[in-house]
Amino acid sequence: MRGIRQLVGDVRLVRGDLLDQGSLISAVERVQPDEVYNLAAMSYVPMSWQQAELTGEVTGLGVLRVLEAIRVCSGISASRSPAHGQIRFYQASSSEMFGKVRESPQTERTPFHPRSPYGVGKTYGHFLTQNYRESYGMFAVSGILFNHESPRRGAEFVSRKVSLGVAKIKLGYERQLRLGNMQARRDWGFAGDYVRAMQLMLARDDPADFVIGTGVTHEVAELVELAFKIAGLDWRDHVVCDAAFIRPAEVDHLCADPSKAKDQLGWEPTIGFEELVTMMVEADLELLSASGGQADESFGPESW
Ligand code: GDD
């Protein structure tokens, strides 16, 4: 909500709840959108073990309810295919669907093996989006997005937890940063680049799914080392491994093959790993310097 509140002057907010089919139908009826982007989910992986049923309802069945709202409001049925000018739908699928990866790098054809209730919920939403495209001829597509970050990232996710932790230590508010699995590998990119990919996907003539990532993977340990180095600190003086942040099942290695997006969308990331981590550390140093050490961390830091 923090990100939305900052923009509220330019954005008209309409109430809707992924747990409430009627509210979604009214929202679509009122707004009459050209495009719908479903970026809503219970998106923090560790929490999905604690709230597995809610995760299934929101992250999984929520997709069904949005698709149904669009279908009903557009008057689409199995015997009546969509009219020209139909609403285009984007589903935020996730690289967490690849989970225990069958091959590396991962493409649109790599089989899924999700490793958390969150990953399972996203996989349901992904196949359902494909199914509505095939069953009803709807313009419904999924972007299989790898980790995407920015200074607006929630404090519970590792990139922001690290950039905030570094800033607090640098400014003397804290001495330690407690983390979980430092060996996991992720393909981290800049959220702004990924939003551009979403828009390109809906601007195409043919609906299709795309993997969106940088094609470069790093260990959590590399992210940590770099973030501390940017602030002139040595991570070994401050980072403590804490079993409370180890997950019941881990996704060890994610790396995108974004060739299809490059070929068919003309999409490429503009911001690399070092630039991204620098941007986040510098933003948090500035934020905490101005706020006397306070940041919006309503969700975390949390263990699973
Ligand atoms: N959050 C967190 N906190 N992660 C930690 C920590 C810690 O203290 N220590 C190590 N990690 C490791 C996690 O075990 C994981 O392997 C990796 O850092 C990244 O964790 P997150 O930043 O929480 O992201 P994620 O990869 O689980 O999921 C994010 O990316 C997905 C796209 O692949 C989320 O944004 C998902 O919603 C999204 O779908």
Side-chain angles (χ1 to χ4, degrees):
M1 279 304 281
R2 186 168 44 116
I4 295 175
R5 267 191 230 115
Q6 284 168 352
L7 296 171
V8 88
D10 303 328
V11 176
R12 183 160 66 97
L13 297 179
V14 173
R15 204 168 282 278
D17 188 331
L18 284 186
L19 302 179
D20 179 5
Q21 181 71 74
S23 73
L24 298 174
I25 292 176
S26 331
V28 173
E29 267 173 352
R30 276 179 68 187
V31 175
Q32 300 279 317
D34 298 317
E35 298 178 345
V36 173
Y37 295 82
N38 179 33
L39 312 186
M42 202 309 291
S43 68
Y44 183 42
V45 173
M47 191 56 75
S48 75
W49 278 280
Q50 287 181 353
Q51 298 192 317
E53 186 181 345
L54 182 64
T55 301
E57 281 286 350
V58 174
T59 305
L61 279 173
V63 185
L64 172 69
R65 297 188 188 102
V66 179
L67 282 163
E68 274 295 287
I70 295 171
R71 186 184 71 76
V72 168
C73 293
S74 309
I76 297 167
S77 65
S79 57
R80 189 178 171 282
S81 49
H84 188 66
Q86 61 174 299
I87 298 169
R88 296 185 171 208
F89 174 72
Y90 172 87
Q91 166 59 15
S93 284
S94 165
S95 54
E96 282 293 303
M97 301 187 308
F98 295 123
K100 194 173 169 66
V101 296
R102 306 279 177 87
E103 61 181 6
S104 219
Q106 294 86 48
T107 74
E108 293 77 6
R109 292 173 305 285
T110 303
F112 299 136
H113 184 148
R115 295 271 281 171
S116 62
Y118 168 81
V120 173
K122 280 287 177 187
T123 306
Y124 171 82
H126 181 82
F127 281 127
L128 198 76
T129 301
Q130 214 169 65
N131 181 260
Y132 269 53
R133 181 165 80 223
E134 292 171 3
S135 305
Y136 297 115
M138 286 169 61
F139 194 110
V141 301
S142 292
I144 306 175
L145 266 53
F146 284 62
N147 299 52
H148 41 288
E149 320 293 317
S150 86
R152 288 187 185 171
R153 187 56 139 152
E156 66 274 25
F157 298 93
V158 77
S159 62
R160 186 78 196 289
K161 183 173 170 183
V162 170
S163 64
L164 271 172
V166 165
K168 283 182 192 164
I169 292 168
K170 180 72 182 176
L171 297 172
Y173 294 113
E174 273 175 24
R175 296 175 59 82
Q176 252 190 15
L177 176 62
R178 306 184 80 81
L179 294 171
N181 179 8
M182 301 269 285
Q183 275 70 55
R185 299 187 76 90
R186 289 290 183 276
D187 178 336
W188 281 288
F190 172 55
D193 281 333
Y194 291 50
V195 171
R196 187 164 42 83
M198 296 175 198
Q199 291 174 322
L200 289 169
M201 287 174 67
L202 290 200
R204 275 166 56 89
D205 290 335
D206 302 323
D209 304 329
F210 289 89
V211 158
I212 305 295
T214 68
V216 182
T217 179
H218 294 276
E219 269 192 10
V220 173
E222 292 173 65
L223 168 80
V224 170
E225 186 178 354
L226 175 61
F228 277 85
K229 194 167 143 217
I230 290 163
L233 299 167
D234 186 335
W235 70 277
R236 285 166 297 200
D237 298 334
H238 303 283
V239 174
V240 176
C241 283
D242 186 336
F245 297 107
I246 304 286
R247 300 174 181 188
E250 177 63 284
V251 172
D252 294 318
H253 184 114
L254 291 176
C255 184
D257 175 353
S259 313
K260 184 180 171 191
K262 187 177 177 192
D263 293 347
Q264 297 187 23
L265 299 175
W267 179 85
E268 280 187 278
T270 63
I271 294 194
F273 179 68
E274 280 207 30
E275 204 181 336
L276 175 64
V277 179
T278 305
M279 179 202 299
M280 293 182 71
V281 171
E282 286 179 350
D284 278 330
L285 281 167
E286 199 176 314
L287 175 74
L288 297 190
S289 302
S291 68
Q294 300 302 308
D296 178 2
E297 294 176 68
S298 45
F299 203 93
E302 285 263 350
S303 66
W304 73 269

